[in-house]
Every structure is written in structure tokens, then in C-alpha cells.
Amino acid sequence: PRLRGAAAPPRAMAGRLLRAGGGRLGVAALPRALLAASGPGLCPRRGCAPEEAAGEAEAALLALGFSRAQARRLRGLQPRLGPRRAAAAAEQLLLLGLSAEAALGLLERSPELLRAAEAQLKERAEYLRRLGLGGGHLQRVAGRCPQVFTLPRRRMEAAVRVLREKCLFTAEQLTEVLQSCPGVLLEEPGSLQYHFQYAYFRMGVRQKEMVKARLFRTPFAELRNRHIFLERRGLYQTPLKGQTQTNNPKLKEVLHLPEKEFLANLARATPEEYEVFKKLLAREEEEEEEKEEEEEEEEEDRDTEPGEGQP
């Protein structure tokens, strides 16, 4: 039995803190010493054996709410990084509101999160919250698009600038875009802008409808195939002088109908006709690219030819 007045062992102390903080919310109150185990073979205390370091790491994970089986699975992920890295990454995911099993599953599917510095994971989460991705939205981002937590900050900021300054989405619309399709933060700014411009100028769709239809969830190639197919069948008209054609199908229908329904109800065509069209369109694109390359080569040749009177 423990002597009266003696200090509580770390696991018991952590358990009380977790209960006092309401389960996962108490993670922030855990003493950092519980997560202080260093890399393999090292321990904060002089002379600590690797087995003892692993034991302390497991105690820290148990204190965070993981079961012993979950702690063993977590410690087995990239063990060369050391037990502290796994515990720190798990802690940051718990702070997002994920359950222990969800956090573990995410780390198993996305091992790059283990290689990220703890400060980076925390900073990315704060940046996403400032963009309006709080609460359940942040948890869904972690589950569907974990790459944003390891993406360079400048890449994320570049995508946000395009959406605000080039696409002219309002702050509220930007938040809705990020909530429905956080993957836009992974896109190259030029590709993201072209995706928007195609829908805006070629299809005559405005920002409000783009947000409602979740434009960026559909790959650009699929958007273009469906739009041009409808256009060539006389079922979609390109707007004239900025005037949207009211008889055009809604963007939501063009984007999100399953292909079978899209062909039967919207395009009124067979799957065979659509497949032939896509092959022909791909061939047209190749020929256009070859023509552009030839024109560029001819222009370069003219620039390098000597002028009149020159040797």
C-alpha cells in the first residue's frame, strides 16, 4: 500500500486529470512529462533502459485514453521515430476531437503524420480553425484529407489567395468550399483557378451556385467531359455576353448525377456514345497540343534566324 501523502503515480494522476477534464478534453491538462520519452534507447532519466522507455511511452498512451492493445499498435508504427513522436501525434489528433480508435486508424493510414513535428500539426490545426473549419468539420478534414496537416503553409495560403482574390468567393463562401472540399488546399493554384474559370466563363455559373453544387469535389476532367458532351448535343448553351442561359441544366445535376442517370436523364445518350465521345475528345486535345508545340517551335526558329543584312 502507498504511504499517506506520497505522490500519486503518473498513470493514476493522469486518470484523475482526464476525468476532471471530461474525457478527451482533459488531454490538454496532461503533464508534458508523461510524453517526454525520447527516441529508441534513450530515456530522460540517466541510465534508463529501452524497455523502461517503452513502458513510460505506453503509460502515457494509456493516460491519453488508449487501451493496451491500441498502445501496442501505435508504438509499432515506425518504431525508429521513437515512442514520443507517436504519443505526440496521437495527442494532437485527440485534441481535434477524434476518438482513440479513430486517431490510431488515421495514423495507420497516414504515417506521414507521425513524421511531422508536433508544433506543425498544432499550427496547421489552428490555421484551419481560423478558416472556419472548427469542431466536427476539422475532424472530417483529418479523416478525409489528412495531407493538409503536413502540407507546407505557403501552399495552403496560395490556394486560399486564389479562392479569395482570383475566384472572388466571399469569406463565408470560402469557408463553405473548404468545409465541403478541403482537398482544394492541396491543388496547384493555377489548376484551381482554371477549374473556377472554366465553370464561370464557359458554363456561365456564378460563385453562389458553385458553392451550392460543391464544384471542386468533381475532378476537372470529368466536369469538362460532361459539359462538352451536353454542349455538342445541343443540351447546354455557352452564355453570351455574360448572360447565363436559364434553360441550361443545373451545375449540381451535371456534376453529381451517377453516370448512368446523367446519360439517361440529362444527356439522353447511351454509354457507348459517351465512351466514343471521350476518346474523340482526348484525340482532339492531343492534336491541339501538338499544333501548339509546332507553332512554338516555328516562332523560336524565326526568333533565332539572322535578320536582313546580317551574316
Side-chain angles (χ1 to χ4, degrees):
R2 183 166 51 89
L3 294 177
R4 181 177 300 176
R11 184 179 173 188
M13 177 175 62
R16 288 201 297 271
L17 285 171
L18 282 170
R19 290 192 295 273
R24 289 195 302 271
L25 294 179
V27 172
L30 287 176
R32 303 301 300 176
L34 285 176
L35 301 176
S38 301
L42 299 176
C43 184
R45 298 199 307 274
R46 190 183 303 274
C48 179
E51 293 79 6
E52 191 171 351
E56 290 194 0
E58 181 170 329
L61 292 171
L62 293 174
L64 289 172
F66 291 91
S67 68
R68 290 190 181 278
Q70 290 171 333
R72 284 194 294 271
R73 285 166 57 193
L74 187 54
R75 284 169 44 214
L77 299 176
Q78 302 193 28
R80 295 181 62 183
L81 293 176
R84 185 190 183 283
R85 183 64 66 87
E91 179 190 15
Q92 291 304 314
L93 295 179
L94 293 179
L95 287 171
L96 298 181
L98 296 177
S99 67
E101 183 60 33
L104 176 57
L106 183 56
L107 291 172
E108 289 176 329
R109 296 191 306 272
S110 307
E112 66 273 11
L113 295 175
L114 286 169
R115 296 190 291 270
E118 179 184 0
Q120 178 182 347
L121 296 176
K122 184 177 181 180
E123 191 275 336
R124 295 297 183 277
E126 289 300 322
Y127 181 66
L128 292 170
R129 287 190 182 97
R130 290 198 296 273
L131 293 174
L133 296 172
H137 294 296
L138 195 55
Q139 296 171 34
R140 285 191 286 274
V141 169
R144 286 166 36 192
C145 194
Q147 301 94 320
V148 299
F149 289 92
T150 57
L151 192 70
R153 173 70 177 268
R154 61 181 181 277
R155 280 281 306 278
M156 298 172 70
E157 291 175 338
V160 170
R161 281 197 301 272
V162 166
L163 293 170
R164 285 301 309 272
E165 299 173 11
K166 303 296 184 180
C167 305
L168 299 179
F169 288 110
T170 66
E172 182 179 352
Q173 289 171 339
L174 172 63
T175 297
E176 291 185 55
V177 168
L178 296 177
Q179 288 174 349
S180 65
C181 186
V184 296
L185 295 172
L186 308 177
E187 298 288 339
E188 290 291 340
S191 300
L192 189 59
Q193 184 176 351
Y194 188 72
H195 197 154
F196 165 82
Q197 290 177 335
Y198 186 92
Y200 190 89
F201 293 108
R202 284 281 282 113
M203 299 180 70
V205 180
R206 296 299 178 256
Q207 288 89 337
K208 184 177 180 179
E209 187 178 355
M210 292 181 197
V211 173
K212 185 178 180 180
R214 300 177 177 179
L215 168 68
F216 298 106
R217 274 195 179 183
T218 301
F220 175 72
E222 180 66 16
L223 165 69
R224 187 171 183 268
N225 283 342
R226 290 192 174 198
H227 167 246
I228 295 178
F229 189 58
L230 291 172
E231 191 176 49
R232 292 187 181 181
R233 294 181 67 82
L235 299 172
Y236 201 108
Q237 297 181 30
T238 299
L240 299 174
K241 298 181 180 180
Q243 297 298 315
T244 302
Q245 301 295 326
T246 57
N247 58 334
N248 283 337
K250 297 294 184 182
L251 180 63
K252 186 176 182 179
E253 297 175 321
V254 176
L255 296 179
H256 299 305
L257 280 177
E259 185 172 295
K260 185 177 180 180
E261 294 182 26
F262 166 76
L263 293 173
N265 302 331
L266 214 59
R268 298 194 286 275
T270 65
E272 292 76 17
E273 289 175 315
Y274 191 45
E275 288 302 316
V276 171
F277 160 77
K278 287 190 286 187
K279 292 177 181 178
L280 292 175
L281 185 61
R283 187 182 302 173
E284 288 178 16
E285 292 176 347
E286 291 177 2
E287 292 174 354
E288 288 177 3
E289 290 176 0
E290 291 175 358
K291 184 177 180 180
E292 290 176 358
E293 290 176 0
E294 291 175 358
E295 291 176 350
E296 289 176 0
E297 290 176 358
E298 291 175 0
E299 186 174 348
E300 291 176 358
D301 292 340
R302 287 195 298 269
D303 291 341
T304 56
E305 288 177 359
E308 295 183 6
Q310 294 183 0

